Amino acid sequence: RLKDLEVAELGDSDVHIKMLAAPINPADINTVQGTYAILPPLPAVGGNEGVGEVLEVGRRVAGLKPGDWVIPAITGLGTWRTRGVFPEEMLLKVPSDIPVLCAATLSVNPCTAYRMLADFETLAPGDSVIQNAANSGVGQAVIQIAKASGIKTINVVRDRPDLPKLVERLTALGADHVVTEEMLRKPEMRDLFKSIPKPRLALNCVGGKSTTEMLRHLQPKGTMVTYGGMAKQPVMVPVSAFIFRDVRLRGFWMTQWRKDHAQDPQSLASMMDALFQLIRRGQLTAPACTEVPLQDYKAALEATMKPFVSSKQILLL
């Protein structure tokens, strides 16, 4: 529910921020439902990402000043609020010359896309990647980051009434091929691979049958990375894929990556700089968004849980 809270007192190492915008992601819904891997102690404020403007800083804060823009440096900050006081180390400064919706949706999906493209296979221009849930926030970021690096994408989406419109939108973002889950089983896929190489990397956000079908098209010794399970079904892999094609199955969770690299600020800084550059060059845009005032949060939550919604709900704070 929407509730008025007292803003905490500003400590010496704290930063008082005014939140500007915060998205609703699937992981946020899972947190509210109590099914996510990290659950905050209750009562809690929802929201894992967003962007805010610094209003005031404590006397020991050196890296931030009033007027700076910040995003969460950790998971579970609780961004669905108008104001908050947080320790400086929980926040990450971002340039204020990038669009507010890009900043609000930066710390989860584009970072996940960037790491999965960089960390599992050494991809070169001309290589290809296959992904399901290609219209998700991560999917849209994968398309754009891959395009900027000269990597081809094969993008799998569920069949739907407005499929041509979705295909057009993903193609405009830079998708090389958009196919439905049904098409993965059809002979036409052979024709597709006459013009581009079979992928060395598959990105799975769905699970179930979609994953098994996608895996068929992976190169021998290729890697499939699972980062979501939207179908709520296990990943099924034929024994032959392991024995005769030696495929690798890995998992990825951005929260874990941040924990693993907590003592290595340079790795985070270089990723964020690369993403800022892509945004400034117009090569990485915010996902399709619906902007919703905070008081209409119930409608935004309901819209997020509807199937086939390709627009991310953003709370304006």
Side-chain angles (χ1 to χ4, degrees), residues 78-297:
T79 53
W80 299 347
R81 63 173 96 212
T82 53
R83 294 190 177 202
V85 170
F86 305 103
E88 181 184 14
E89 71 267 16
M90 288 186 179
L91 303 168
L92 203 61
K93 184 178 170 180
V94 297
S96 52
D97 66 341
I98 63 175
V100 70
L101 294 182
C102 284
T105 55
L106 187 61
S107 64
V108 176
N109 295 330
C111 290
T112 298
Y114 184 92
R115 293 265 58 103
M116 291 194 302
L117 287 170
D119 293 352
F120 294 93
E121 288 282 345
T122 308
L123 298 170
D127 285 344
S128 75
V129 172
I130 189 167
Q131 63 165 345
N132 55 23
N135 57 312
S136 67
V138 171
Q140 293 177 57
V142 164
I143 290 169
Q144 295 175 85
I145 296 168
K147 177 81 173 174
S149 310
I151 295 159
K152 308 284 183 194
T153 54
I154 303 143
N155 301 281
V156 185
V157 296
R158 287 181 296 174
D159 203 359
R160 63 193 65 213
D162 61 344
L163 184 65
K165 201 191 286 180
L166 177 61
V167 171
E168 192 180 311
R169 197 155 62 74
L170 295 182
T171 305
L173 284 180
D176 295 283
H177 300 277
V178 182
V179 298
T180 61
E181 290 183 346
E182 291 71 28
M183 199 182 145
L184 284 176
R185 291 188 280 281
K186 295 192 172 158
E188 292 96 286
M189 288 300 286
R190 280 200 206 102
D191 298 335
L192 189 148
F193 289 120
K194 284 174 184 165
S195 60
I196 61 169
K198 284 207 160 194
R200 297 226 311 278
L201 181 66
L203 305 176
N204 168 45
C205 181
V206 178
K209 198 193 286 185
S210 168
T211 311
T212 315
E213 296 299 341
M214 195 164 66
L215 204 60
R216 286 170 194 246
H217 303 293
L218 199 59
Q219 271 189 37
K221 295 190 185 302
T223 304
M224 185 173 79
V225 182
T226 292
Y227 68 98
M230 286 159 63
K232 296 186 169 62
Q233 290 165 354
V235 169
M236 307 289 277
V237 181
V239 170
S240 60
F242 282 127
I243 299 173
F244 303 120
R245 292 179 33 240
D246 191 18
V247 298
R248 281 180 282 262
L249 266 61
R250 300 286 305 274
F252 183 77
W253 188 29
M254 194 62 218
T255 300
Q256 190 62 49
W257 186 91
R258 285 184 196 280
K259 280 185 193 163
D260 293 346
H261 294 79
Q263 306 309 314
D264 177 17
Q266 189 45 49
S267 60
L268 178 64
S270 63
M271 169 173 69
M272 298 312 289
D273 282 344
L275 294 172
F276 298 148
Q277 293 303 331
L278 289 170
I279 291 168
R280 286 198 180 103
R281 290 199 295 263
Q283 292 175 308
L284 179 61
T285 57
C289 292
T290 303
E291 299 174 43
V292 183
L294 182 59
Q295 57 268 30
D296 297 337
Y297 74 95

Side-chain angles (χ1 to χ4, degrees), residues 27 30-32 34-41 48 75-76 253 255-256 259:
N30 296 151
T31 304
V32 174
T35 58
Y36 200 56
I38 291 182
L39 297 175
N48 274 311
T75 303
W253 188 29
T255 300
Q256 190 62 49
K259 280 185 193 163

